[in-house]
Each structure stands twice: as C-alpha cells, then as structure tokens.
Amino acid sequence: MEKHKKYNTEVTGAEAVILALLDENVTDVFGYPGGAIMPVYDALYDYMDRLNHYLVRHEQGATHAAQGYSRVSGKPGIVFATSGPGATNLITGIADAQIDSTPMVCITGQVHSHLLGTDAFQETDVVGISMPVTKWNIQVTKAEDIAPAIAKAFYIATTGRPGPVLVDITKDAQFGKTKYKHEKCESIRSYFPCPKVNEEEVNAAAELINNAKRPYILCGHGVLLSGAEKQLLALAEKADIPVASTLLGLSAFPPTHPLYVGYLGMHGNYGPNYLTNECDVLIAIGMRFDDRVTGNVSKYAKQAKVVHFEIDPSEINKIIHADAAVMGDAKESLDLLLPKIKSQKRTEWLKRFADCNDVEFEKVIKEAINPNSEKLRMAEVIHKFHNISNGNAIVVTDVGQHQMITSRYYKSNIPNHFVTSGGLGTMGFGLPAAIGAKVAQPNKEVVTVIGDGGFQMTIQELGTIMQSDIAVKIIILNNNFLGMVRQWQQLFFDRRYSFTEMKNPDFITIAKGYGIKGKKVTERANLEDALKEMYESKQAFLLEVVVENEENVFPMVATGASVSEITLE
C-alpha cells in the first residue's frame, strides 16, 4: 500500500492512528489487543507489511519493551493497550520511563464517549491516573483530532528532556470518519523544550573549571540523550579531569580511558564516591543528583563549587545548589564551553583516584572476581561474561543485587549499550526491555542479567520471545533470595530474613516449554563454556547460574550516610 494512498481521503479514526505512526517513521509496536482498542488492531491488519507488532503477554511487558527499544535506538517506543485493566497495567512502565527520561508513546483505547464517567465495562480514567507519571497526556473523542494529537505526542515525547506520553482514544473516535492529513508538529505555544544556552552562564562555568585544582565530572543519562559523548571526552582530556558515571550514564564515557574513574552510587566504586567530598569543583553533566548518588545531602560536596549542565530547569537547585548553572542541551552547551577551557595536567589529583581504586581492588574486587569460595559468585559470572563479549554486547539488567554487580563488573564500550531501570528500580524490567532492545538492534547481541525474583515478575514474556523468534540471551543469577532486600535485612535488621527466601521453579524446564534452549550451571568448572554457548547461540538461550545465596554487594553507602562514609566490607 502506497504511503499516501489515503491522504485527503476519508478514513476511520483507527486507520488514522496507523497512518500517523507511519508518518512518524514508526516500524515497531508492542501491544496487547482488547475491546476498546480493537478498531485500531483491525486497521493494523492491513498494514502488517509495514508495521511490525509484537504481542506481549502482559501490558507492563509492552511498556518495558518500548523502553528497551527506545534506549538503544534513540527513537520513541510505541505501545498499544486497551481500556481499563489494559491501560492501568501500563502505569508502572510509564512511571519508569518518566523518571528515567525515556521517550515513549502509549496509545490506549477507551469506551465510547457517551459512556465516559458511567463506570462502563472496562472504563478507567487513564488520563487522570497517568497524569503524574507522563510528560503529557490527552483524551481524544473525535476522529479528526487523532492525527494532530499523535503528532503532538511525538513532538513532546522526543524534545527537550524526553519522556512518556499517552493518547487515550474513545471507541467512537476510532470508528468515526475523517480526512487524514499529516502535519508534523514542530512547536507548541508555551512549550519551550530546550532552553537557549546563555553564554554568560557558560563563561561562569568555564571560569570555575579553569581555576579549579581538583575538578571532577559526574556524567549522567543526559549525556547519552543529547549525544554529547565526544564533547564530554574532549572536555575531560583537555582539562585532565577525572570522570565518573551515574548508573544511567554508564557507557557515556569509555570505561578503559585513563580519566574514567568508575561509577557513582550506593554500590558504586570507592574512589568516585569517597573523593566527591575532596574535589573543589564538581561538574555535573546531564544528571539530577539522585539520592542514590548524593547519600546524605547535608554532607555532600560541601567544600566544592558546583557547575550544573542541565536541560530541565526544575532540576537546578532542586537538591544541590549550583554555583554556575548552564541551562540547555548538553551537547550544545559543551560545544560552547570547550573553546573557553584551558589545557591543564592534574597528576596528583588523578593519583588519588588510582590509589582508591587500588584499595577497592585489594579489599573487594580481587576476591569477588576470583573467589576462594566453593560456590559461584555473581561478580565472577559477570566478569567472565564481560571478557567473552569484550564489552560489546547490549546488556540489559533487572533490578537488585545482580543489577549492581553488573553495573560494577560489566564495562560497556559502546554508548547506549547498557540498559537498566534507574529511578524507579522496577523489578521485572529486564526480560521485556531486552526484547525491545533486540527488536531495535537485531544484529547486536542482547543479553539480559536477571535475578530469580525479578525474572518471575515478567516470566510470561518468554511467550513473546517464542512467538516472534527473538534471540535474546538470558542470564539468571539465582541465589534463591530476594537478594538486595536480604542484604539489608542482614546488615540492618539482625538477619531477620522476613519473606525474602525464594522457593523457585525449574527455570530450564519452563524455558523448554517455551521452546527456548537452557542450561543450568552450579560448578565453576562449567561456567565459562556455558557462557560461551549462551553468547554464541543463534537463538534465544536461558542460562541459570546458581550463586552463593548470602553474597553481599560492596562497597556500600548506607542510607543516611555520607558518600565519604562508604564501606568496603
């Protein structure tokens, strides 16, 4: 069917949805049909040669798949769901996308407009419910308003600080007739997605950086979202500044570069956390000073001047006061900053990080990756997997101890090749997000690392893998516990393991039921070969590795502690 065959001719509102998506260059959709979205699915039937639909097994899986798709492609992930429970099942994934600044367009069906507010079958006020966790949402009740609403949705989702949007379309609007015409949305009155960079702010930032003795860069997800990786590298190299990454900023800076000092956060590296309270100028680029990064705010970098590069005005001075705030896109801001920066060398300051890294290696890393214990440990699994993949795989994690271990021991060489749930910390994220990542990058190896607890939250998405033949590789680090909660119970609740021990099913048999090859490893001697078999498989593969059940993740910044009070054991 030719792209413009039905332009300016009468189509249904449902077909207008499909045409609008095609005009936004959408090729893939994740969804689950139902009564109120059925007209859209009926229209999709005629466009299956141009729009790939992936049938998930739960609507939450659709949102996480859309997130994974977006994070590795840079394009918004697209979701279809029906009204009522279908729409409410999207909320967790939408909230996750909102806090992690992931562009996503959710299209939900709704009951007929004359039934709104009557508690009709499968009616829910999804606009009201989703309002706190969307960047923008709208309910459409007329066919002629569908195409403009979708065009606006794409513009809002992808500009400025990205985020999820939701378009709720009543069933009569889907059945209604309209003349379709695509008009790309390029501006909205009163919406200014990207502040214009102020050169005076850039000058103030440059002055602080040039006069610094111990400057320190914290890079976040905003660097990746703006595509500012080269500018960040140029800044660090020109001024010889150490660079640490937030969880979502991982892969924004080359992990093998001598200026890369590690990753921040509660279970991040020792030096990057500890030395935050020794720098004299803290340069935050595309990060929001999340509590997992700052620890106790009253004790955070009090000795330092703070330079904050940020696209969202609401983040400036929200948590940490900025002495110089540069509003705007990170790439544009750094392009303006670079000519104003003086070349310097900071040998002694960089040595402080190297010394801290040596301490961490001796007290934590050496034993973690090459343990003396009989049982396998999470860190050695991820370390071996990193060596097998050379850091080139797209790695997606779920949430928990395995997430922190993977963040520490897997070094992603390629930008946007590390995907995880950061701000919301959503268990169940990993498997469907990996599906979306593989759909977006079919020629890349996509491996998801999941705990036994999180895997069972969205285990049904193995059905999506089976039906669509998606070659996702799965590593389950099975410690038969909800590991992160158990660690806190051990350290702060006198080992009172209240409902954190897991009696798990036979994961390999379950995978076999979905037509997915699997293998279980319990012995160190079999680990490397099993990892290679999984990684080299041409089809989906599930590798379960049974690990020590009371292993803890260190270093650790305890709740309420300062980053300089980070403990190594």
Side-chain angles (χ1 to χ4, degrees):
M1 186 174 293
E2 294 179 11
K3 185 173 182 181
H4 296 291
K5 185 176 179 181
K6 297 204 173 183
Y7 279 28
N8 292 311
T9 60
E10 201 169 58
V11 300
T12 65
E15 190 169 6
V17 171
I18 305 302
L19 292 172
L21 293 179
L22 291 172
D23 276 321
E24 295 289 347
N25 299 315
V26 172
T27 55
D28 304 287
V29 176
F30 305 92
Y32 201 98
I37 194 75
M38 204 175 298
V40 169
Y41 273 87
D42 184 66
L44 177 61
Y45 190 86
D46 293 327
Y47 291 85
M48 288 191 293
D49 60 330
R50 294 174 54 200
L51 202 54
N52 302 310
H53 180 277
Y54 296 87
L55 178 64
V56 297
R57 297 309 190 258
H58 188 283
E59 292 88 353
Q60 182 179 340
T63 54
H64 295 326
Q67 288 176 273
Y69 182 95
S70 176
R71 294 271 288 275
V72 302
S73 70
K75 302 191 296 184
I78 312 302
V79 174
F80 284 172
T82 195
S83 63
T88 59
N89 282 343
L90 303 180
I91 298 301
T92 296
I94 292 173
D96 193 293
Q98 173 79 339
I99 200 166
D100 283 353
S101 304
T102 304
M104 182 163 66
V105 176
C106 298
I107 297 174
T108 54
Q110 185 54 275
V111 301
H112 283 78
S113 54
H114 73 274
L115 293 174
L116 291 171
T118 68
D119 293 330
F121 177 67
Q122 291 194 332
E123 181 201 356
T124 303
D125 178 11
V126 68
V127 171
I129 290 170
S130 66
M131 192 173 292
V133 293
T134 49
K135 189 176 177 186
W136 178 76
N137 66 18
I138 190 172
Q139 185 172 83
V140 180
T141 59
K142 295 179 181 179
E144 60 265 31
D145 295 334
I146 289 174
I150 291 176
K152 188 175 181 180
F154 272 83
Y155 178 65
I156 292 173
T158 58
T159 53
R161 181 178 182 175
V165 299
L166 183 141
V167 181
D168 190 46
I169 308 173
T170 61
K171 203 167 183 180
D172 50 317
Q174 296 172 53
F175 278 128
K177 297 286 188 174
T178 183
K179 284 190 175 182
Y180 178 79
K181 182 180 180 183
H182 175 65
E183 292 184 2
K184 191 170 184 66
C185 182
E186 296 181 327
S187 67
I188 299 170
R189 188 174 62 183
S190 78
Y191 172 57
F192 306 102
C194 188
K196 182 175 173 56
V197 181
N198 184 316
E199 192 150 1
E200 289 185 10
E201 294 175 353
V202 175
N203 290 337
E207 184 177 1
L208 285 174
I209 295 168
N210 287 332
N211 291 328
K213 301 298 183 187
R214 298 181 306 281
Y216 181 24
I217 293 173
L218 312 183
C219 75
H221 193 200
V223 173
L224 292 163
L225 290 170
S226 71
E229 299 91 347
K230 289 181 180 178
Q231 287 77 6
L232 170 63
L233 180 62
L235 171 62
E237 289 183 337
K238 187 174 185 180
D240 207 28
I241 304 175
V243 178
S245 170
T246 67
L247 178 64
L248 289 182
L250 290 171
S251 80
F253 197 85
T256 57
H257 195 286
L259 290 173
Y260 182 69
V261 294
Y263 127 81
L264 299 158
M266 179 174 279
H267 293 290
N269 294 111
Y270 177 54
N273 281 296
Y274 183 76
L275 295 175
T276 299
N277 283 355
E278 291 191 16
C279 69
D280 60 354
V281 174
L282 192 66
I283 307 157
I285 307 174
M287 56 87 72
R288 58 187 180 85
F289 292 108
D290 175 79
D291 62 292
R292 285 296 205 246
V293 166
T294 64
N296 188 330
V297 175
S298 69
K299 300 178 181 179
Y300 183 80
K302 291 300 178 183
Q303 79 294 339
K305 298 289 185 182
V306 174
V307 179
H308 197 174
F309 292 85
E310 176 59 52
I311 199 169
D312 185 350
S314 70
E315 295 294 347
I316 298 295
N317 298 325
K318 185 174 83 173
I319 297 169
I320 300 296
H321 171 75
D323 297 279
V326 181
M327 293 301 307
D329 176 77
K331 185 176 181 179
E332 181 184 352
S333 298
L334 293 180
D335 275 334
L336 289 171
L337 176 75
L338 278 166
K340 304 174 188 293
I341 295 298
K342 297 175 183 177
S343 294
Q344 298 194 44
K345 285 294 179 186
R346 309 182 195 276
T347 306
E348 291 185 13
W349 175 226
L350 288 166
K351 188 176 184 301
R352 292 284 290 117
F353 286 91
D355 291 343
C356 286
N357 287 342
D358 289 344
V359 170
E360 182 179 352
F361 183 82
E362 287 299 320
K363 291 196 173 184
V364 179
I365 297 173
K366 184 166 69 173
E367 167 67 17
I369 64 176
N370 190 23
N372 293 318
S373 62
E374 181 181 338
K375 293 182 179 179
L376 287 163
R377 295 185 64 179
M378 292 180 286
E380 69 174 308
V381 177
I382 300 305
H383 180 67
K384 284 185 184 296
F385 168 55
H386 172 267
N387 290 340
I388 288 168
S389 69
N390 293 315
N392 293 327
I394 293 174
V395 172
V396 183
T397 83
D398 207 80
V399 170
Q401 283 184 316
H402 67 276
Q403 176 191 31
M404 298 295 100
I405 289 289
T406 305
S407 305
R408 287 177 52 78
Y409 294 98
Y410 192 87
K411 311 298 183 184
S412 293
N413 292 325
I414 306 171
N416 296 304
H417 273 43
F418 184 83
V419 180
T420 195
S421 170
L424 199 64
T426 304
M427 290 179 68
F429 174 89
L431 183 60
I435 290 170
K438 185 64 176 179
V439 169
Q441 299 282 2
N443 296 321
K444 296 276 190 176
E445 293 298 335
V446 177
V447 181
T448 180
V449 183
I450 312 179
D452 47 306
F455 181 62
Q456 292 177 82
M457 287 196 168
T458 49
I459 194 171
Q460 69 277 0
E461 298 309 328
L462 293 174
T464 305
I465 292 173
M466 174 179 66
Q467 181 161 343
S468 296
D469 192 22
I470 301 170
V472 168
K473 317 297 173 57
I474 304 159
I475 300 174
I476 300 175
L477 297 181
N478 183 3
N479 56 14
N480 291 106
F481 267 106
L482 296 175
M484 187 61 82
V485 185
R486 184 214 56 76
Q487 177 168 337
W488 281 53
Q489 288 175 334
Q490 176 185 335
L491 297 176
F492 308 117
F493 292 88
D494 299 323
R495 291 182 182 266
R496 291 161 59 87
Y497 293 161
S498 180
F499 298 100
T500 46
E501 189 168 3
M502 302 281 286
K503 184 175 183 179
N504 290 317
D506 185 335
F507 293 126
I508 306 305
T509 298
I510 290 172
K512 184 179 179 181
Y514 283 100
I516 297 171
K517 188 175 181 180
K519 179 167 282 190
K520 184 174 183 176
V521 173
T522 59
E523 302 292 333
R524 185 167 285 114
N526 302 323
L527 176 61
E528 190 161 353
D529 286 345
L531 284 167
K532 286 180 180 177
E533 183 182 357
M534 173 212 69
Y535 192 64
E536 293 170 2
S537 173
K538 301 301 182 184
Q539 286 81 40
F541 194 105
L542 187 150
L543 177 63
E544 177 189 358
V545 184
V546 179
V547 296
E548 185 178 320
N549 60 3
E550 290 191 74
E551 178 184 354
N552 289 331
V553 186
F554 285 103
M556 182 176 183
V557 180
T559 300
S562 161
V563 289
S564 58
E565 295 170 325
I566 185 170
T567 57
L568 292 166
E569 54 193 0

Coordinates of all heavy atoms in Angstrom, one line a residue, residues 275-334:
L275 N 35.8 10.5 47.0 CA 36.5 11.7 46.6 C 35.6 12.8 46.2 O 36.0 13.9 45.9 CB 37.6 11.4 45.6 CG 38.7 10.5 46.0 CD1 39.6 10.2 44.9 CD2 39.5 11.2 47.1
T276 N 34.3 12.6 46.2 CA 33.3 13.6 45.9 C 33.5 14.7 47.0 O 33.3 15.9 46.7 CB 31.9 13.1 46.0 OG1 31.7 12.1 44.9 CG2 30.9 14.2 45.8
N277 N 33.8 14.3 48.2 CA 34.0 15.3 49.3 C 35.4 15.8 49.4 O 35.8 16.4 50.4 CB 33.6 14.6 50.6 CG 32.0 14.6 50.7 OD1 31.3 15.1 49.8 ND2 31.5 14.0 51.8
E278 N 36.2 15.6 48.3 CA 37.6 16.3 48.3 C 37.8 17.1 47.1 O 38.7 17.9 47.0 CB 38.6 15.2 48.3 CG 38.7 14.4 49.6 CD 40.0 13.6 49.7 OE1 40.9 13.7 48.9 OE2 40.0 12.7 50.6
C279 N 36.9 17.1 46.1 CA 37.0 17.9 44.9 C 36.8 19.4 45.3 O 36.1 19.7 46.3 CB 36.1 17.5 43.8 SG 34.4 17.7 44.1
D280 N 37.3 20.3 44.4 CA 36.9 21.7 44.7 C 35.9 22.3 43.7 O 35.3 23.3 44.0 CB 38.2 22.6 44.7 CG 39.0 22.6 43.5 OD1 38.7 21.8 42.5 OD2 40.0 23.3 43.4
V281 N 35.8 21.6 42.5 CA 34.7 22.0 41.6 C 34.1 20.7 41.1 O 34.8 19.8 40.5 CB 35.3 22.8 40.4 CG1 34.2 23.0 39.4 CG2 35.8 24.2 40.9
L282 N 32.8 20.6 41.3 CA 32.0 19.4 40.9 C 31.2 19.8 39.7 O 30.4 20.7 39.7 CB 31.1 19.0 42.0 CG 30.4 17.7 41.9 CD1 31.4 16.5 42.0 CD2 29.3 17.5 43.0
I283 N 31.5 19.1 38.6 CA 30.9 19.4 37.3 C 29.9 18.3 36.9 O 30.2 17.2 36.6 CB 31.9 19.5 36.2 CG1 33.1 20.5 36.6 CG2 31.3 19.9 34.9 CD1 34.4 20.2 35.9
A284 N 28.6 18.6 37.1 CA 27.5 17.7 36.9 C 26.9 17.9 35.5 O 26.5 19.0 35.1 CB 26.4 17.8 37.9
I285 N 27.0 16.9 34.6 CA 26.5 17.0 33.2 C 25.4 16.0 33.0 O 25.6 14.8 33.0 CB 27.7 16.8 32.2 CG1 28.9 17.7 32.6 CG2 27.2 17.0 30.8 CD1 30.1 17.5 31.7
G286 N 24.2 16.5 32.8 CA 23.1 15.6 32.4 C 22.7 14.6 33.5 O 22.3 13.5 33.2
M287 N 22.8 15.0 34.8 CA 22.4 14.2 35.9 C 21.7 15.1 36.9 O 21.8 16.3 36.9 CB 23.6 13.5 36.5 CG 24.8 14.4 37.0 SD 24.6 15.0 38.7 CE 24.9 13.5 39.6
R288 N 20.9 14.4 37.8 CA 20.0 15.2 38.6 C 20.2 15.0 40.1 O 19.3 15.3 40.9 CB 18.6 14.7 38.3 CG 18.3 13.3 38.5 CD 16.9 12.9 37.9 NE 16.6 11.4 38.1 CZ 16.2 10.9 39.2 NH1 15.9 11.6 40.3 NH2 16.0 9.6 39.3
F289 N 21.4 14.6 40.5 CA 21.7 14.4 41.9 C 20.7 13.6 42.7 O 20.2 14.0 43.7 CB 21.9 15.8 42.6 CG 23.1 16.6 42.1 CD1 22.9 17.7 41.3 CD2 24.4 16.2 42.5 CE1 24.0 18.4 40.8 CE2 25.5 16.9 42.0 CZ 25.3 18.0 41.2
D290 N 20.4 12.4 42.1 CA 19.6 11.4 42.8 C 20.1 11.1 44.1 O 21.3 11.1 44.4 CB 19.5 10.2 41.8 CG 18.7 9.1 42.5 OD1 17.5 9.1 42.4 OD2 19.4 8.1 43.0
D291 N 19.2 10.7 45.0 CA 19.7 10.4 46.4 C 20.6 9.2 46.5 O 21.5 9.1 47.4 CB 18.5 10.1 47.3 CG 17.7 8.9 46.8 OD1 17.0 9.0 45.8 OD2 17.6 7.9 47.6
R292 N 20.6 8.3 45.5 CA 21.5 7.2 45.4 C 22.9 7.6 45.1 O 23.9 7.0 45.4 CB 21.1 6.1 44.4 CG 19.9 5.3 44.8 CD 20.2 4.4 46.0 NE 19.4 3.2 46.1 CZ 18.6 3.0 47.1 NH1 18.3 3.9 48.0 NH2 17.9 1.9 47.1
V293 N 23.0 8.8 44.5 CA 24.3 9.4 44.2 C 24.8 10.3 45.3 O 26.0 10.2 45.7 CB 24.3 10.2 42.9 CG1 25.5 11.1 42.7 CG2 24.1 9.3 41.7
T294 N 24.0 11.0 45.9 CA 24.4 12.0 46.9 C 24.6 11.4 48.3 O 25.3 12.0 49.1 CB 23.4 13.2 47.0 OG1 22.1 12.7 47.5 CG2 23.2 13.9 45.7
G295 N 23.8 10.3 48.7 CA 23.8 9.9 50.1 C 23.2 11.1 50.9 O 22.3 11.7 50.5
N296 N 23.8 11.3 52.1 CA 23.3 12.4 52.9 C 23.6 13.7 52.3 O 24.8 14.1 52.3 CB 23.9 12.2 54.3 CG 23.3 13.2 55.3 OD1 22.9 14.3 55.0 ND2 23.3 12.8 56.6
V297 N 22.6 14.4 51.9 CA 22.8 15.7 51.2 C 23.4 16.7 52.0 O 24.2 17.6 51.5 CB 21.4 16.2 50.6 CG1 21.6 17.6 50.0 CG2 20.8 15.3 49.6
S298 N 23.2 16.7 53.3 CA 23.8 17.7 54.2 C 25.3 17.6 54.3 O 26.0 18.5 54.8 CB 23.1 17.6 55.6 OG 23.5 16.4 56.3
K299 N 25.8 16.4 53.9 CA 27.3 16.2 53.9 C 27.8 16.0 52.5 O 28.9 15.4 52.4 CB 27.6 14.9 54.8 CG 27.1 15.0 56.2 CD 27.4 13.7 57.0 CE 26.9 13.8 58.4 NZ 27.1 12.5 59.1
Y300 N 27.1 16.4 51.5 CA 27.6 16.2 50.1 C 28.3 17.3 49.5 O 27.7 18.4 49.4 CB 26.3 15.8 49.3 CG 26.7 15.4 47.9 CD1 27.1 14.2 47.5 CD2 26.5 16.4 46.8 CE1 27.4 13.8 46.2 CE2 26.9 16.0 45.5 CZ 27.3 14.7 45.2 OH 27.6 14.4 43.9
A301 N 29.6 17.1 49.2 CA 30.4 18.1 48.5 C 30.3 19.5 49.0 O 30.3 20.5 48.2 CB 30.0 18.0 47.0
K302 N 30.3 19.7 50.3 CA 30.1 21.0 50.9 C 31.3 21.9 50.6 O 31.2 23.1 50.6 CB 29.9 20.9 52.4 CG 28.6 20.3 52.8 CD 27.4 21.1 52.2 CE 26.1 20.5 52.6 NZ 25.0 21.3 52.0
Q303 N 32.5 21.3 50.3 CA 33.7 22.0 50.1 C 33.8 22.5 48.6 O 34.7 23.3 48.3 CB 34.9 21.2 50.4 CG 35.3 20.1 49.3 CD 34.3 19.0 49.1 OE1 33.4 18.8 50.0 NE2 34.3 18.4 47.9
A304 N 32.9 22.1 47.8 CA 33.1 22.3 46.3 C 32.1 23.3 45.8 O 31.0 23.5 46.2 CB 32.8 21.0 45.6
K305 N 32.6 24.0 44.7 CA 31.7 24.8 43.9 C 31.1 23.8 42.9 O 31.7 22.9 42.4 CB 32.5 25.9 43.1 CG 33.2 26.9 44.0 CD 32.2 27.8 44.6 CE 32.9 29.0 45.4 NZ 31.9 29.9 46.0
V306 N 29.8 24.1 42.6 CA 29.1 23.1 41.7 C 28.7 23.8 40.4 O 28.1 24.9 40.4 CB 27.8 22.6 42.4 CG1 27.0 21.7 41.5 CG2 28.2 21.8 43.7
V307 N 29.1 23.1 39.3 CA 28.7 23.5 38.0 C 27.7 22.5 37.5 O 28.0 21.3 37.4 CB 29.9 23.6 37.0 CG1 29.4 24.0 35.6 CG2 30.9 24.6 37.5
H308 N 26.5 22.9 37.1 CA 25.4 22.0 36.7 C 25.0 22.3 35.3 O 24.4 23.4 35.0 CB 24.2 22.1 37.7 CG 23.3 21.0 37.6 ND1 22.2 20.8 38.5 CD2 23.2 19.9 36.8 CE1 21.6 19.7 38.2 NE2 22.2 19.1 37.2
F309 N 25.2 21.3 34.3 CA 24.7 21.4 33.0 C 23.4 20.6 32.9 O 23.4 19.4 33.1 CB 25.7 20.8 32.0 CG 27.0 21.6 31.9 CD1 28.0 21.5 32.7 CD2 27.1 22.6 30.8 CE1 29.2 22.3 32.6 CE2 28.3 23.3 30.7 CZ 29.3 23.2 31.6
E310 N 22.3 21.3 32.6 CA 21.0 20.6 32.7 C 20.0 21.2 31.8 O 20.0 22.4 31.6 CB 20.5 20.8 34.2 CG 19.2 20.3 34.5 CD 19.0 18.8 34.2 OE1 19.8 18.0 34.7 OE2 18.1 18.4 33.5
I311 N 19.2 20.3 31.2 CA 18.2 20.8 30.2 C 16.8 21.1 30.9 O 16.0 21.9 30.3 CB 18.0 19.7 29.1 CG1 17.3 20.4 27.9 CG2 17.2 18.5 29.6 CD1 17.3 19.5 26.7
D312 N 16.6 20.6 32.1 CA 15.3 20.7 32.8 C 15.5 21.8 33.9 O 16.2 21.5 34.9 CB 14.9 19.4 33.3 CG 13.5 19.4 34.0 OD1 13.0 20.6 34.1 OD2 13.0 18.4 34.3
P313 N 14.9 22.9 33.8 CA 15.0 24.0 34.8 C 14.6 23.5 36.2 O 15.2 24.0 37.2 CB 14.1 25.1 34.3 CG 13.9 24.9 32.8 CD 14.0 23.4 32.6
S314 N 13.7 22.6 36.3 CA 13.2 22.1 37.6 C 14.3 21.4 38.4 O 14.2 21.2 39.6 CB 12.0 21.2 37.4 OG 12.3 20.0 36.9
E315 N 15.3 20.9 37.7 CA 16.4 20.2 38.4 C 17.4 21.1 39.0 O 18.2 20.6 39.8 CB 17.0 19.2 37.4 CG 16.1 18.0 36.9 CD 15.7 17.1 38.0 OE1 16.2 17.1 39.1 OE2 14.7 16.3 37.8
I316 N 17.5 22.3 38.5 CA 18.5 23.2 39.0 C 18.2 23.7 40.4 O 17.1 24.1 40.7 CB 18.7 24.5 38.1 CG1 19.1 24.1 36.7 CG2 19.6 25.5 38.7 CD1 20.5 23.5 36.6
N317 N 19.1 23.5 41.3 CA 19.0 23.8 42.8 C 17.9 23.0 43.5 O 17.5 23.4 44.6 CB 18.7 25.3 42.9 CG 19.9 26.2 42.4 OD1 21.0 25.8 42.6 ND2 19.5 27.3 41.8
K318 N 17.4 22.0 42.8 CA 16.3 21.2 43.5 C 16.9 20.4 44.7 O 16.3 20.3 45.7 CB 15.7 20.2 42.5 CG 14.5 19.4 43.0 CD 13.9 18.5 42.0 CE 14.6 17.2 41.7 NZ 13.8 16.3 40.8
I319 N 18.1 19.9 44.5 CA 18.7 19.0 45.6 C 20.1 19.6 46.0 O 20.3 19.8 47.2 CB 18.9 17.6 45.1 CG1 17.5 17.0 44.8 CG2 19.7 16.8 46.1 CD1 17.5 15.6 44.1
I320 N 20.9 20.0 45.0 CA 22.2 20.5 45.3 C 22.3 21.9 44.7 O 22.0 22.1 43.5 CB 23.3 19.6 44.7 CG1 23.3 18.2 45.3 CG2 24.7 20.3 44.9 CD1 23.5 18.2 46.8
H321 N 22.7 22.9 45.4 CA 22.8 24.3 44.9 C 23.9 24.4 43.9 O 25.0 23.8 44.0 CB 23.2 25.3 46.1 CG 23.5 26.6 45.6 ND1 22.6 27.5 45.1 CD2 24.7 27.3 45.5 CE1 23.2 28.6 44.8 NE2 24.5 28.5 45.0
A322 N 23.6 25.0 42.8 CA 24.6 25.2 41.7 C 25.2 26.6 41.7 O 24.5 27.6 41.7 CB 23.9 25.0 40.3
D323 N 26.5 26.7 41.8 CA 27.2 28.0 41.8 C 27.2 28.5 40.3 O 27.3 29.8 40.1 CB 28.6 27.8 42.3 CG 28.6 27.4 43.7 OD1 28.5 28.3 44.6 OD2 28.8 26.2 44.0
A324 N 27.2 27.6 39.4 CA 27.1 28.0 38.0 C 26.2 27.0 37.3 O 26.5 25.8 37.3 CB 28.4 28.1 37.3
A325 N 25.0 27.5 36.8 CA 24.1 26.6 36.2 C 24.0 26.9 34.7 O 23.7 28.1 34.3 CB 22.7 26.8 36.8
V326 N 24.2 25.9 33.8 CA 24.2 26.1 32.4 C 23.0 25.4 31.9 O 23.0 24.2 31.8 CB 25.5 25.7 31.7 CG1 25.4 25.9 30.2 CG2 26.7 26.3 32.3
M327 N 21.9 26.1 31.5 CA 20.7 25.5 31.0 C 20.8 25.3 29.5 O 21.3 26.1 28.8 CB 19.5 26.5 31.3 CG 19.2 26.7 32.8 SD 18.8 25.1 33.5 CE 17.5 24.5 32.4
G328 N 20.3 24.1 29.1 CA 20.3 23.8 27.7 C 20.7 22.4 27.4 O 21.0 21.6 28.3
D329 N 20.7 22.0 26.1 CA 21.2 20.7 25.7 C 22.6 20.5 26.0 O 23.5 21.4 25.7 CB 20.9 20.6 24.2 CG 21.4 19.3 23.6 OD1 20.8 18.3 23.8 OD2 22.5 19.3 23.0
A330 N 23.0 19.4 26.5 CA 24.4 19.1 27.0 C 25.4 19.3 25.8 O 26.5 19.8 26.0 CB 24.5 17.8 27.6
K331 N 25.0 18.7 24.7 CA 26.0 18.8 23.5 C 26.2 20.2 23.1 O 27.4 20.6 22.9 CB 25.4 18.0 22.4 CG 26.3 17.9 21.2 CD 25.7 17.0 20.1 CE 26.6 16.8 18.9 NZ 26.0 15.9 17.9
E332 N 25.2 21.0 23.0 CA 25.3 22.4 22.6 C 26.1 23.2 23.6 O 27.0 24.0 23.3 CB 23.9 23.0 22.4 CG 23.9 24.5 22.0 CD 22.5 25.1 21.9 OE1 21.5 24.3 22.0 OE2 22.4 26.3 21.7
S333 N 25.8 22.9 24.9 CA 26.5 23.6 26.0 C 28.0 23.3 26.0 O 28.8 24.2 26.2 CB 25.8 23.3 27.3 OG 24.5 23.6 27.4
L334 N 28.3 22.0 25.9 CA 29.7 21.7 25.9 C 30.5 22.2 24.7 O 31.7 22.5 24.8 CB 29.9 20.2 26.0 CG 29.4 19.5 27.3 CD1 29.6 18.0 27.3 CD2 30.1 20.2 28.5

